[in-house]
Amino acid sequence: MFRRGQASLVPAPSSGLVQRQGRVVRVVETTGADLHRYYVPGRWTPHCSLSPRTRREELDRLGAVVYDVLPIEATLDRAVLIDTATGEHTPLRMIP
C-alpha cells in the first residue's frame, strides 16, 4: 500500500528488470525530461496499481479478489513519456 491508499502489487524485480529500468532512465534523460526522484535507479519501486484510495480494512477483500486471478501476464508494446505538469504525451520511438 502506497501513500494516499493506493493498493498495488509490488514484485521482487529481477536483475534484468532493474537493468532495463536503468536503460529507460537513460533514454528519458536524453529527451531533456525532468525525471521525478522516485524513478531514479535505486529508488524506483516497480508496481502494478490495483485500487486507488483503498482503506486498510478493505485490503483483505482486495487481496482475495487479486489472488483469484494471479499470476497476471502482460506484454509491453509501446512506451510513452508523460509530462505530469501539462499532461502532454510523447511516444518513445522504441521500448528501451
Side-chain angles (χ1 to χ4, degrees):
M1 191 145 191
F2 288 104
R3 289 179 180 224
R4 293 182 295 278
Q6 179 183 342
S8 301
L9 292 176
V10 179
S14 67
S15 62
L17 179 61
V18 171
Q19 290 171 2
R20 187 172 204 169
Q21 190 262 346
R23 289 193 306 268
V24 168
V25 167
R26 287 190 294 279
V27 169
V28 168
E29 289 175 336
T30 66
T31 69
D34 181 23
L35 190 67
H36 191 280
R37 68 183 181 275
Y38 291 145
Y39 294 103
V40 173
R43 293 218 45 189
W44 174 64
T45 301
H47 66 281
C48 176
S49 297
L50 297 174
S51 174
R53 298 179 190 92
T54 304
R55 294 188 312 261
R56 286 191 179 137
E57 58 270 13
E58 297 172 320
L59 285 177
D60 285 347
R61 195 172 95 205
L62 177 62
V65 170
V66 170
Y67 285 121
D68 285 344
V69 296
L70 288 177
I72 298 171
E73 292 187 25
T75 301
L76 180 68
D77 63 3
R78 63 186 165 180
V80 177
L81 181 61
I82 301 173
D83 183 330
T84 56
T86 65
E88 180 182 351
H89 291 65
T90 305
L92 298 178
R93 292 187 308 259
M94 59 169 253
I95 300 173

